[in-house]
PDB file of all heavy atoms in Angstrom:
ATOM      1  N   ASP C1408     -86.353 -72.798  55.924  1.00  0.00           N
ATOM      2  CA  ASP C1408     -86.608 -74.059  56.629  1.00  0.00           C
ATOM      3  C   ASP C1408     -88.087 -74.197  56.970  1.00  0.00           C
ATOM      4  O   ASP C1408     -88.722 -75.193  56.639  1.00  0.00           O
ATOM      5  CB  ASP C1408     -85.761 -74.146  57.910  1.00  0.00           C
ATOM      6  CG  ASP C1408     -84.284 -74.343  57.603  1.00  0.00           C
ATOM      7  OD1 ASP C1408     -83.962 -75.297  56.864  1.00  0.00           O
ATOM      8  OD2 ASP C1408     -83.460 -73.553  58.083  1.00  0.00           O
ATOM      9  N   ASN C1647    -113.280 -60.815  78.843  1.00  0.00           N
ATOM     10  CA  ASN C1647    -114.327 -60.265  77.999  1.00  0.00           C
ATOM     11  C   ASN C1647    -115.291 -59.425  78.842  1.00  0.00           C
ATOM     12  O   ASN C1647    -115.091 -59.248  80.057  1.00  0.00           O
ATOM     13  CB  ASN C1647    -115.050 -61.375  77.223  1.00  0.00           C
ATOM     14  CG  ASN C1647    -115.829 -62.326  78.123  1.00  0.00           C
ATOM     15  OD1 ASN C1647    -116.149 -62.020  79.280  1.00  0.00           O
ATOM     16  ND2 ASN C1647    -116.149 -63.494  77.598  1.00  0.00           N
ATOM     17  N   THR C1749    -115.084 -63.145  73.286  1.00  0.00           N
ATOM     18  CA  THR C1749    -116.098 -62.100  73.354  1.00  0.00           C
ATOM     19  C   THR C1749    -117.226 -62.579  74.266  1.00  0.00           C
ATOM     20  O   THR C1749    -117.357 -63.783  74.537  1.00  0.00           O
ATOM     21  CB  THR C1749    -116.655 -61.775  71.963  1.00  0.00           C
ATOM     22  OG1 THR C1749    -117.077 -62.993  71.323  1.00  0.00           O
ATOM     23  CG2 THR C1749    -115.599 -61.116  71.092  1.00  0.00           C
TER      24      THR C1749
END
Side-chain angles (χ1 to χ4, degrees):
D1408 289 306
N1647 66 19
T1749 52

